[in-house]
Amino acid sequence: MGGIILQEETKVIRIIGRIASVMSVLMYVSYIPQIISNLNGNHGDPIQPLVAGINCTVWTIYGYFKSERDWPIIAANVPGVFLGFFTFYTALH
């Protein structure tokens, strides 16, 4: 009985992890309108995307260097590395 419950909990955790990964990617994809505005001369605040880029870099490094690589963490944060820093860069010009 305990094994069945543990398997169900593991399945639920895996599903939650996938949902969280997708939501993270969507959160960073939402920078695209700000990038477009920045490139059109309507510059947004650069601080938040800079902090997001740094945060995603740290999480990506963490997921990569764990004894067992944590691919959901890596996949969820790599888009934030690129989009966060690119949004920051475009907000400066």
Side-chain angles (χ1 to χ4, degrees), residues 74-88:
I74 294 167
N77 285 283
V78 166
V81 172
F82 294 103
L83 290 169
F85 286 126
F86 190 64
T87 304
F88 168 74

Side-chain angles (χ1 to χ4, degrees), residues 14-86:
R14 236 181 292 128
I15 291 169
I16 291 170
R18 288 182 181 140
I19 291 169
S21 293
V22 168
M23 295 306 298
S24 290
V25 170
L26 292 174
M27 180 173 58
Y28 297 117
V29 167
S30 71
Y31 278 133
I32 293 173
Q34 183 179 348
I35 292 169
I36 292 168
S37 290
N38 291 342
L39 293 173
N40 287 326
N42 301 318
H43 301 288
D45 184 17
I47 299 301
Q48 198 279 333
L50 173 63
V51 173
I54 293 168
N55 178 59
C56 290
T57 300
V58 173
W59 274 112
T60 301
I61 291 168
Y62 168 81
Y64 186 82
F65 287 105
K66 282 179 67 175
S67 58
E68 186 175 326
R69 289 198 175 118
D70 196 332
W71 292 110
I73 287 178
I74 294 167
N77 285 283
V78 166
V81 172
F82 294 103
L83 290 169
F85 286 126
F86 190 64

Side-chain angles (χ1 to χ4, degrees), residues 1-12:
M1 181 76 158
I4 293 172
I5 293 173
L6 183 59
Q7 288 175 349
E8 287 299 314
E9 286 178 5
T10 301
K11 183 178 179 181
V12 169

